[in-house]
Amino acid sequence: MPKKYHISTRPAPPRFRRVGKFGIVDRREDCSACHNCVKRECIYDCYKDEDSRLRKVDAYVDYLYECKSCLSCVQSCTKGLLSRRVNPEYRVLGNDFWTPEIISKTWYQAETGKIPVSGAGYGGPFSGPGFDSMWTDMSEIVRPTRDGIHGREYISTSVDIGRKMPRLHFDGNGGLQDAPPPLLEVPLPVIFDSLYELGVPQSIALAAAGAAKRLGNLSLVPSSDLTESLMPFAEAIVPELDDGTRLDDLWLNRVRMVEIPDGADVAQRLKALKRANPSLLVAVRLPLNRGSADRVLELARQGIEVVHLYGDRRGQEREDVHPRHISRVTREVHLALVGDRIRDEVTLIASGGIAMAEHMAKEIICGADLVGIDMSVPIALECRVCDSCKTGLACPVELETIDLKYATQRLMNLMGAWRSQLLEVLGAMGIRDVRRLRGEVGRCMFFEDLERESFGPIFGRRKTETQAMVAV
Amino acid sequence: MKTEQLEITTEQERLDAIPERKVRAAPTRYRNPVGKYKVWRSNACIQCGKCMQVCLYGVHIKPQGYPRFLPPRDDLCQGFKCKEIGRFCPDHCPVGALRVDLSPMYESLGDYRWTADLILSTWRMAETGQIPDGDLEYEIGASGGGFDRIRFRFPQASGSLHENRGAGDVPQASPPASLQHGQDAHATEVSTAIDLNRRKENDRPRIQIDIPVYGGGMSFGSVSPITMLARARACAAWNTFSCTGEGGYPERLVPFKDHVITQVATGLFGVREETIQRARIVEFKYAQGAKPGLGGHLLGDKVTPAVAAMRETVTGNALFSPFPFHSVYSVEDHKKHVDWVKQMNPRALIAVKVSTPVDVDMVAVGSYYAGAHIIHLDGSYGGTGAAPDIAKKNIAMPIEYAIPRVHAFLQAEGIRDEITLVASGGIRTAYDAAKAIALGADGVVIGTTELVALGCIRCGNCESGRGCARGIATTDDKLVQKMALPWATQRLINLFNAWHIQFVDILSRFGMKSITELRGRTDLLMHLDYDNHTEK
């Protein structure tokens, strides 16, 4: 058995105050300073340092941010002076895709490296668009034992990038005709996508590269941003070349993979790059759209070994009218390759809208070999998705000056938490290798299918979405 | 902080006796109740008492001999509904000292599945034993799918309790007397009882429960001993069952043993010959809906001497309940376990609790052939003391899909009438329960609803630190004392009563005499997102 992969997580507390969901409103002017103050009874000690903090100009009052929302103080205060509100600052975090929940859970994971765990049942919507219309499955009784979650049996999260040959060819003497193409094994089915579209500072690219090197995975960097400071992390860096850009030989010999945009000459470019460095992997970057499946087939037939499909930041196709979700397009691409019996000859990397660990698992179920994450990287470093950087305003969490070591740890924590969650779902499915999860829709249930199979016989046909909206 | 405790006004009841099935007021144990509306009384108040005369609900209280009003009882306020009947107190106040508005806290309560309305209405039912007054929604949540989009297709003429309740010219602090339990012609002639043993073999007792609801497993350690006892007592009063969960059978539950299911789960914690032998129902737990396929992990800190003793383990050592049963890899293996229990206790019924993978129907059939009496499906949105969020949200299917599948499959197999199918995992309201039955279940199992009745606000911090801040799901000595047993018992008895009223109402409106007639009547349901939905 190979050495067990382990991500070393360590607490990395936030540099700036958290934005908690709930806050307590205190009408202290009516306080009668009674001797049985409920604040002393808070089992989470939210009020512990209230007095000393209130006297400092720059200190914040913890209970506004760290209230756990048990309502005990609110309901017990002798004079009823306390009340609870949703923190207005929390409510305006992010946007409708990068919701306050996703942002605060990402912060938690980057801080602690732990899986978000809570009591009580799930409180969210029944289902939703995109990944929220999928449930992963589990295996009830009849299955082999899988105890990976508690570490007693190893579940592998490694994936291979590159072309896997369907068969070997031998020459007359029984020797191999051609050497097998290079394969790059990454221990985690996640890579850091390039962040240049996001307008985030260079410091973040550096942190992503640093974390990628320690994690053993990859980080994409536009070739124009390849600076000397990134050189120590070269083995984890995937330069993203523009049309016509040539990569400096120094880099070319140290990186393990490069990415080129799709175009008519991809096959020639691939050949040229391979001549310079035969062990180099070349990925083709392809926008997610209506033509993705056909184009991936063409590329695969031309011998392209890795295709990186990228949707927009919300995981939608780059189409103006009725864009489909990345999960659906990936499924289509995967099935096209399966249908053509060349699925293993090309590795699919999918990125865009991968915001939570569950998205990673679900996207792989839909047919990707691995995923790329984008916004999650700055969010792990406390970004508030306020878009200040895009408009040239100062970053409220000073990302440009973030300490590299600290930032690296935050990203490792996030990936540690994601990996643990992947192990949870793999464990529940009775699968012990994430390679086997790819395209395994048998371990997944889709909203449309469940509705049709369970409710169809009872309620008939589902109204189209617009009709349903009217019925509300 | 002193927690206010309800004083039950009858003679001190014996805590080891089965309490009476009687509704008694059990108001909130907190000083400041939370309501949907908030009433502000300013200092301009001249204490004239006009508001007290106008209000039908007892929001404004000025006790005899007091010069001033007590703080308004926000939780009783019915808000703007009073405008319709000209009894909106701010309109009557001669000095404009009153203001009524949606409580700012209301919007910070609840979530999609358990909306603020559902939490408040469940509290109200636990307080009064009746359906809530006013405009509190007590039937559905806002999750946008499943039960929340399914409606009953009631006959035209039948007015709902919902429509009939609330503000009228006559003070109606509670619904019409005709709908109160025990006084109604309906309530006596409509049966809500179900059989739990429906197998042909006549070798085991025919157990019947009076409501189609029993309590799900909550282990010693995950909830407080008071919570555990209150559930056992209330279920005994209603001639139904609660369940020990995996974690031992505390001695104090023994007086209620005829109404306590004991659980055999993968860790086999606290399972002993005598616990199996004293139970009328033994439940095999294969998986839990909130974390299917994952098993349990009790952190070392939580293994206190009491917990360790109960589980027969070592204090401070983390405990795993692995998944799955490491001795069960086939239906035959499963049958072997069932046979052991049957041999050990010749009068016990066997329940099998499974979660809801895509092949749940096969699992159900397998359980039947292994000799189970009850198949218990736990859907993916069910409750838990602690589970990874990724599991709670994503693994396995919601219960709404699983019930009709399993029901149809058992029917096709020709064994539907020989097994009792119960559903859990997201049954929040009496309406959810009734819909589950109409989809094909015989009855339901609840858990979270009971905790909400005891004052849970679903903050989700059951597992952190000392446990539940409200003293429900904790074993911390001090926190446990926040709740008194007689009060907690009464809250649950009241909740069951309110549910019973609703079951009787639903059945009466369909002209049914028994809840068993409702089972599988999917023709009485409609889904707002489907073309079988017709406007009333």
Side-chain angles (χ1 to χ4, degrees), chain A residues 22 38 41 43-44 68-72 74-78 80 83-86 91 105 115-126 132 134-147 149-150 152 356-358 362 421 424-425 427-428 445 447 450-456 458-463 468 471-472, chain B residues 1 30-34 104-105 107-109 111-113 143 145-146 149 286-287 292-294 320 323 326 328-329 354-355 357-358 363 381-390 392-398 400-401 404-405 439 457-464 466-467 469-470 478-479 522 525-533:
Chain A
F22 292 110
V38 289
E41 297 290 326
I43 71 162
Y44 306 110
K68 295 247 197 179
S69 189
C70 68
L71 278 193
S72 295
V74 172
Q75 287 202 267
S76 303
C77 171
T78 316
S83 106
R84 182 184 71 176
R85 304 283 170 93
V86 176
R91 218 191 288 248
K105 289 238 174 94
I115 305 183
V117 171
S118 60
Y122 175 62
F126 186 81
D132 285 350
M134 297 166 70
W135 287 275
T136 65
D137 205 359
M138 55 84 68
S139 146
E140 192 77 67
I141 296 168
V142 185
R143 71 162 204 206
T145 168
R146 291 291 172 258
D147 243 355
I149 300 158
H150 300 133
R152 284 176 284 191
M356 297 159 87
E358 62 184 80
K362 288 173 175 178
Q421 291 172 81
E424 296 276 352
V425 291
M445 298 175 280
F447 174 75
L450 286 177
E451 287 274 319
R452 191 184 58 249
E453 291 162 14
S454 285
F455 286 170
I458 301 172
F459 302 120
R461 279 162 53 99
R462 212 177 144 80
K463 295 173 192 170
V472 178
Chain B
M1 177 177 62
Y30 287 94
R31 183 182 187 102
N32 310 317
V34 178
M105 240 181 334
E107 58 162 19
S108 78
L109 268 182
D111 50 50
Y112 289 94
R113 291 195 63 78
S143 74
R149 299 292 287 167
Y286 279 88
L294 299 184
F320 292 101
F323 181 89
H326 283 184
V328 178
Y329 293 106
V354 295
S355 55
V358 75
V363 173
Y381 290 155
T384 171
D389 290 351
I390 190 170
K392 292 200 288 192
K393 179 180 172 194
N394 296 297
I395 308 180
M397 66 169 91
E400 289 93 328
Y401 296 134
R405 271 172 191 251
L439 283 172
I457 51 160
R458 283 173 59 77
C459 67
N461 296 319
C462 329
E463 90 301 347
S464 67
R466 291 156 64 193
R470 298 172 76 91
K478 204 165 163 218
L479 296 176
T522 51
L525 295 174
M526 55 191 177
H527 192 301
L528 301 187
D529 299 334
Y530 280 77
D531 57 11
N532 91 328
H533 165 234

Side-chain angles (χ1 to χ4, degrees), chain A residues 195-212:
Chain A
L195 305 165
Y196 74 97
E197 270 187 35
L198 302 173
V200 293
Q202 172 85 23
S203 58
I204 295 184
L206 208 59

Side-chain angles (χ1 to χ4, degrees), chain A residues 85-127:
Chain A
R85 304 283 170 93
V86 176
N87 181 359
E89 210 181 331
Y90 177 85
R91 218 191 288 248
V92 299
L93 273 182
N95 52 41
D96 61 328
F97 183 82
W98 297 95
T99 58
E101 286 77 23
I102 290 181
I103 295 175
S104 58
K105 289 238 174 94
T106 307
W107 287 346
Y108 171 81
Q109 294 171 64
E111 178 185 341
T112 62
K114 290 183 183 158
I115 305 183
V117 171
S118 60
Y122 175 62
F126 186 81
S127 67

